Amino acid sequence: MNITVISVGKIKEKYFTAAIDEYSKRLSRFAKLNNASEKEMEQIKEKEGNKILAKLPQNSFVVTLCIEGKEHSSEELAKKIADISMTSSHITFIIGGSLGLSDTVKSKSALRLSFGKMTLPHQLMRVVLLEQIYRAFKINNNESYHK
């Protein structure tokens, strides 16, 4: 399984980088992870959207993280990832910038996912997303993981 995370902005804080590196390392046991970060994107959704779309791997199952998306428990997300892996060998998760995602990017999405109504910084969202993907693989492999 290949996992790509496309995220607007640059990770500046060392503690976020350390957490991202840790979950990336843990995930490497289960999937090939590609972090495709846009460092100098303008804060205009359409321009961000075009840059995001240019990074989309072909034939990837696209998941956008957006506030209007559907919330899932960790177990439900694990099942979704397992179901997706039956038909696709590549999943791309997209995290937008401070203005959200353009309608063009959202239209490419096969699944809109929400982690709740609270707004989180994209750096922290990347950490939370990677942790939940890692947790999903642990669940799908019937391995224990701290709750």
Side-chain angles (χ1 to χ4, degrees):
M1 171 67 64
N2 287 306
I3 305 279
T4 297
V5 176
I6 299 173
S7 179
V8 172
K10 181 180 180 182
I11 305 297
K12 297 175 187 171
E13 295 83 358
K14 289 181 182 176
Y15 50 90
F16 284 135
T17 302
I20 289 166
D21 290 345
E22 177 62 26
Y23 284 107
S24 296
K25 183 176 114 188
R26 290 183 188 191
L27 264 171
S28 69
R29 211 177 113 217
F30 301 104
K32 182 180 178 198
L33 178 66
N34 306 300
N35 280 302
S37 177
E38 275 300 300
K39 295 178 182 177
E40 296 180 11
M41 286 186 164
E42 296 179 41
Q43 292 300 305
I44 300 170
K45 286 195 297 186
E46 284 305 316
K47 287 184 180 181
E48 286 178 345
N50 291 335
K51 290 181 180 186
I52 288 169
L53 293 175
K55 291 194 167 284
L56 276 181
Q58 285 189 328
N59 302 319
S60 182
F61 186 96
V62 177
V63 179
T64 51
L65 277 68
C66 41
I67 201 160
E68 70 273 12
K70 185 172 188 239
E71 292 182 45
H72 294 279
S73 68
S74 295
E75 292 80 6
E76 290 168 337
L77 181 60
K79 181 168 180 358
K80 278 277 187 202
I81 289 174
D83 291 346
I84 293 166
S85 70
M86 300 298 280
T87 59
S88 180
S89 63
H90 201 139
I91 304 173
T92 299
F93 292 88
I94 301 173
I95 302 169
S98 62
L99 299 175
L101 292 168
S102 70
D103 289 338
T104 306
V105 171
K106 289 179 189 178
S107 73
K108 301 287 184 195
S109 178
L111 173 65
R112 293 182 186 184
L113 183 62
S114 174
F115 280 76
K117 294 187 186 263
M118 291 190 292
T119 302
L120 298 173
H122 67 273
Q123 303 98 322
L124 180 57
M125 193 63 244
R126 193 183 308 186
V127 174
V128 172
L129 173 64
L130 288 173
E131 190 281 334
Q132 284 299 302
I133 295 169
Y134 173 69
R135 184 180 296 270
F137 277 98
K138 294 287 277 186
I139 291 168
N140 288 341
N141 284 281
N142 295 315
E143 296 180 18
S144 64
Y145 187 62
H146 178 69
K147 292 186 178 187

